[in-house]
Amino acid sequence: MQNLAYTAQQIRAAEQPLLDAQEHPDELMQSAAHAVAQVAESMGLPGRVLVLAGKGGNGGDALYAAAELAMSGREVDAWPVFGTAHERALTAFRNAGGTVVEAPEGEYALVIDGVLGLGGAGDLPARILRATEDATVLSVDVPSGIDADTGQRGGNHVTADVTVTFGGWRLAHALAPECGIQLLADIGTASTCLHDQLRLFDGTPIYRASGTDRAWPEGISALGPAAVPNPEPGFNDDKYTGGVVGIRAGSGSYPGAAVLCTAGAVTATPGMVRYAGPQALEVVRAHPEVVAAETLDQAGRVQAWVFGPGAGADDAASRELEWVLGQDLPVLIDADGLTLLEQHTHLRDLVQRRETPTIITPHDGEFARLREALELGESNRLAEARELASALQCTVVRKGRATIVAHGSGSAEIIDAGNSWAATPGSGDVLAGIIGARMAHDGAQDPQRATDGLAASICIHGMAARLAAETPWGEAQTSASVIAGHVRAATARLIG
């Protein structure tokens, strides 16, 4: 199945023909419940199971799954958290030997969250959250309290260890880390399946850069990374044919930004990396393979530019960014370059008028300042990213645990890093270098293709952060330079 995510409205529309074609009541619900039960068993948690059952179909999925678990010999309690639950599923659960309780009693190894699901968001009663404490949580469809379309969370919401969904992904599965490990199972009736119905709709590609390596039951797949091409040069390639990236980063105040950005590029490509800026000597000391110059016009020919990490935001830096934007080449703008865009209308106008791709890479704080500079409204992270991309007619890479790639055309991709170890100073500089190298490679023959490899580059960065955090005793804190040092290993891991 493809890595496409759909809105709640699309999911409901795709489900309706299956509901109409059911040969017996709850056929589709029981198909979903079987997948939930399979996942619950595969998690291998001995001990009691508690089902949190809401009033609707999500609670019915959980209760039918609980009935299957009870029939297999598991000790299962079900708590109708709002006092009532799906009647046929509740009867099936009782008939299977399950116990309906008025409140949780004792300790549970596994809690199955079937409170709200696809249509539910907002705050949950605190008593429901208390039931999930000190237990592993398996959510059905979407963790309760998480909006399926935006990933926004209520003040009280479930944080799952694993979430299993059906037919196609929901946007929240990439936008909300509260989903934990994201799993997908197809469901259907005797005549058709939900995945086939969803083919009729346009989805949004979503990915997870890093995750667990465990096996899941047949027919159940985990959200995985974007396709990463093999970077090995061809028989007739040389240091130029793979694309040359130029980097303008660093200053006397931030010399490390130049070193980290070029490190990201050097480790992401076998092609040439050029550096232009005041830290030329420091860059060459750290990376002798880089061809360095002190000014932009001395840098030599490149196929893409990266501008901004640590470059400063004074008048001289503004003139440099104006020069870069005047080149008929793909350009990535990060960090101080984003501050310049925020402060100077004429630079934003240049971005809007460019015919070759421009990529901006703000974190949420930088994004908010740009949004305010353009007088755009507040909404959710995905909608805001799309609006900014449209306003600037560029590609926005809104960085975070969930990174959103939004294009001026309105299309988008979402990448869950699968870990949060990249939340460390300088990590964004490394990412800018990785993306810049890929831009130069993909745009070497056709500059309009320079954005093709964005999801792959972001996945490499996310996997590198996870590998950088690994120690013989488990995962621990890491740093940007260590992340850069694991880009090659991450690339190999993702193409393997």
Side-chain angles (χ1 to χ4, degrees):
M1 288 184 279
Q2 295 176 315
N3 282 35
L4 294 178
Y6 302 90
T7 65
Q9 183 179 6
Q10 290 173 321
I11 295 292
R12 293 191 184 97
E15 285 178 338
Q16 193 57 53
L18 277 71
L19 294 170
D20 295 339
Q22 290 184 124
E23 296 183 358
H24 59 80
D26 301 338
E27 181 182 5
L28 192 62
M29 186 178 290
Q30 289 169 5
S31 177
H34 178 62
V36 175
Q38 282 185 300
V39 171
E41 285 285 51
S42 72
M43 292 170 72
L45 298 169
R48 301 167 68 216
V49 178
L50 173 67
V51 169
L52 306 177
K55 294 185 288 187
N58 195 248
D61 294 342
L63 286 168
Y64 276 123
E68 189 171 330
L69 293 172
M71 289 180 67
S72 72
R74 298 294 298 270
E75 184 179 353
V76 188
D77 289 351
W79 178 28
V81 297
F82 300 120
T84 61
H86 188 283
E87 195 56 45
R88 286 189 297 270
L90 197 60
T91 299
F93 173 69
R94 286 193 177 101
N95 291 340
T99 303
V100 179
V101 298
E102 294 184 0
E105 301 172 352
E107 296 182 355
Y108 297 92
L110 176 65
V111 173
I112 299 177
D113 161 34
V115 179
L116 295 179
L118 185 64
D123 289 352
L124 295 175
R127 59 191 172 84
I128 295 177
L129 290 190
R130 286 195 292 270
T132 67
E133 294 175 354
D134 302 320
T136 298
V137 178
L138 168 61
S139 285
V140 180
D141 214 1
V142 178
S144 296
I146 302 296
D147 189 290
D149 287 344
T150 68
Q152 291 179 311
R153 55 200 64 81
N156 290 330
H157 59 271
V158 171
T159 297
D161 296 281
V162 178
T163 296
V164 58
T165 194
F166 316 108
W169 302 103
R170 290 34 167 172
L171 292 164
H173 294 138
L175 290 167
E178 290 84 357
C179 293
I181 297 170
Q182 310 96 324
L183 301 179
L184 177 64
D186 201 10
I187 60 173
T189 63
S191 58
T192 188
C193 64
L194 181 55
H195 176 67
D196 287 344
Q197 292 296 319
L198 284 168
R199 291 177 185 271
L200 303 175
F201 299 89
D202 293 328
T204 298
I206 69 171
Y207 308 100
R208 179 175 173 131
S210 64
T212 63
D213 299 322
R214 65 175 297 169
W216 297 99
E218 184 177 355
I220 295 172
S221 57
L223 183 61
V228 173
N230 190 326
E232 183 178 2
F235 293 158
N236 299 311
D237 280 338
D238 58 34
K239 60 188 177 183
Y240 301 111
T241 54
V244 180
V245 60
I247 292 173
R248 171 62 185 98
S251 61
S253 299
Y254 300 102
V259 174
L260 290 169
C261 190
T262 52
V266 165
T267 55
T269 179
M272 179 179 283
V273 177
R274 296 185 186 272
Y275 172 82
Q279 297 302 315
L281 184 58
E282 292 301 319
V283 166
V284 172
R285 281 178 178 150
H287 308 293
E289 55 271 87
V290 174
V291 178
E294 293 187 354
T295 63
L296 290 167
D297 58 1
Q298 295 174 339
R301 187 182 177 198
V302 301
Q303 276 76 53
W305 274 105
V306 174
F307 182 94
D314 57 12
D315 289 343
S318 176
R319 289 191 294 271
E320 287 183 320
L321 179 54
E322 184 174 354
W323 183 91
V324 168
L325 289 172
Q327 308 305 301
D328 190 24
L329 295 169
V331 173
L332 181 149
I333 306 172
D334 186 41
D336 286 341
L338 300 172
T339 299
L340 291 169
L341 287 184
E342 172 201 338
Q343 295 174 346
H344 297 284
T345 303
H346 77 283
L347 294 176
R348 298 198 297 271
D349 290 343
L350 284 174
V351 170
Q352 290 171 325
R353 294 198 301 266
R354 297 189 86 238
E355 295 183 1
T356 45
T358 307
I359 300 170
I360 63 174
T361 56
H363 56 58
D364 281 346
E366 293 164 334
F367 184 97
R369 293 190 291 274
L370 277 170
R371 178 179 53 74
E372 291 168 4
L374 273 76
E375 299 181 344
L376 303 177
E378 286 188 76
S379 52
N380 61 74
R381 291 185 79 236
L382 177 58
E384 287 177 350
R386 282 179 159 140
E387 187 176 18
L388 183 61
S390 176
L392 287 176
Q393 281 302 292
C394 71
T395 295
V396 174
V397 177
R398 187 172 185 174
K399 298 182 294 191
R401 164 64 187 261
T403 293
I404 298 166
V405 178
H407 301 283
S409 63
S411 64
E413 300 171 280
I414 311 167
I415 303 95
D416 172 17
N419 69 86
S420 300
W421 292 117
T424 188
S427 173
D429 302 342
V430 175
L431 176 60
I434 295 171
I435 294 176
R438 189 77 223 170
M439 288 169 56
H441 178 277
D442 291 345
Q445 303 302 320
D446 179 1
Q448 296 303 323
R449 308 248 349 235
T451 61
D452 287 0
L454 283 173
S457 295
I458 295 162
C459 284
I460 288 170
H461 183 259
M463 176 60 81
R466 176 190 161 187
L467 296 177
E470 290 182 352
T471 79
W473 302 274
E475 294 183 350
Q477 67 278 3
T478 188
S479 63
S481 56
V482 180
I483 292 172
H486 283 81
V487 168
R488 290 187 178 91
T491 303
R493 180 76 170 264
L494 292 175
I495 65 174

